[in-house]
Amino acid sequence: MDYKEEQQQEIEILQSIYPDELELEDDTHFSITLPLKQLRIVGILPYSQPVVIQEIVEFDKNDINEFEQKLNEEAEEQLGIPSIFALASSLKDMAEQKFESKVEQMQRFHGTKVTPESFGQWRLKFRKEMGIDERLEQRKQAYHRGKMTGKEIFEKGLAGDDDIEELSVGVKELSTEA
């Protein structure tokens, strides 16, 4: 069998495998449009709208170069035998794997949307885990040597009327000096 006959047979096989995806330009030039398997990954996060990650995944120049390099290597290995179906299948597999890895990578970086409520909850939990409030209280006690601050005395109502009157006189003196 000569190569023209082999090419014709391969095109007939491709037409049966890809009836809607194969477009013949002439006897030797054609294109196959292969859709990737439909991946629908929807993340519904608290306080946010659903995110369809696959809609924002794209192949960049490096991805295309990688696909081309691998296809060229595979084509060289299959030189002389009908190989379009094998190359098309290989390209589809590579693209789907790359797509899935990009989606996984994007999902890792797509976290919970920060709102005042979610930040407040996180902050309380973080401060408790780190013991921040307890350490601040210990520092305050050490700094004041166990004595209450003026604010604490006032808030607890322990300041007498004489203290308040003395304080207001001092404030008036300050304001007249200025």
Side-chain angles (χ1 to χ4, degrees), residues 156-167:
K156 292 182 180 183
L158 299 176
D161 290 336
D162 295 337
D163 295 334
I164 294 173
E165 206 172 290
E166 187 179 307
L167 180 62

Side-chain angles (χ1 to χ4, degrees), residues 3-173:
Y3 74 93
K4 288 253 188 214
E5 194 175 321
E6 284 184 22
Q7 284 179 344
Q8 188 58 39
Q9 282 183 347
E10 187 170 15
I11 288 176
E12 289 172 7
I13 292 169
L14 292 172
Q15 284 175 326
S16 68
I17 296 171
Y18 304 116
D20 298 328
E21 296 88 358
L22 181 72
E23 288 184 37
L24 290 174
E25 295 173 24
D26 57 42
D27 290 344
T28 58
H29 295 86
F30 56 88
S31 65
I32 302 173
T33 304
L34 297 176
L36 299 180
K37 69 178 170 185
Q38 296 304 309
L39 300 174
R40 186 130 180 103
I41 299 167
V42 178
I44 298 179
L45 306 172
Y47 315 110
S48 71
Q49 297 295 318
V51 177
V52 182
I53 293 177
Q54 93 245 15
E55 291 178 359
I56 54 177
V57 173
E58 295 180 354
F59 293 131
D60 58 24
K61 206 175 225 181
N62 293 334
D63 298 328
I64 303 300
N65 289 339
E66 181 183 336
F67 296 156
E68 187 176 348
Q69 179 186 356
K70 289 180 180 178
L71 280 179
N72 285 334
E73 291 170 7
E74 194 169 324
E76 286 179 23
E77 291 174 8
Q78 298 185 20
L79 201 60
I81 60 173
S83 59
I84 300 300
F85 175 73
L87 293 174
S89 297
S90 180
L91 177 60
K92 185 176 182 203
D93 291 343
M94 284 188 287
E96 286 175 349
Q97 288 173 359
K98 180 64 79 172
F99 184 85
E100 288 174 5
S101 72
K102 285 181 174 261
V103 167
E104 285 176 21
Q105 186 177 13
M106 289 186 81
Q107 283 180 321
R108 274 191 235 128
F109 294 110
H110 194 80
T112 304
K113 184 178 178 181
V114 177
T115 63
E117 294 84 18
S118 66
F119 176 76
Q121 291 170 355
W122 170 84
R123 184 176 183 271
L124 288 174
K125 182 180 174 188
F126 178 78
R127 291 180 71 87
K128 185 175 181 179
E129 286 176 3
M130 300 303 289
I132 293 173
D133 295 329
E134 292 82 19
R135 286 186 291 170
L136 287 175
E137 184 61 33
Q138 289 171 355
R139 282 189 201 153
K140 185 174 117 181
Q141 292 299 327
Y143 181 76
H144 293 288
R145 295 184 190 97
K147 296 179 183 176
M148 289 192 287
T149 64
K151 180 180 178 182
E152 289 173 329
I153 292 171
F154 179 77
E155 287 175 343
K156 292 182 180 183
L158 299 176
D161 290 336
D162 295 337
D163 295 334
I164 294 173
E165 206 172 290
E166 187 179 307
L167 180 62
S168 60
V169 170
V171 169
K172 284 181 187 174
E173 288 175 6

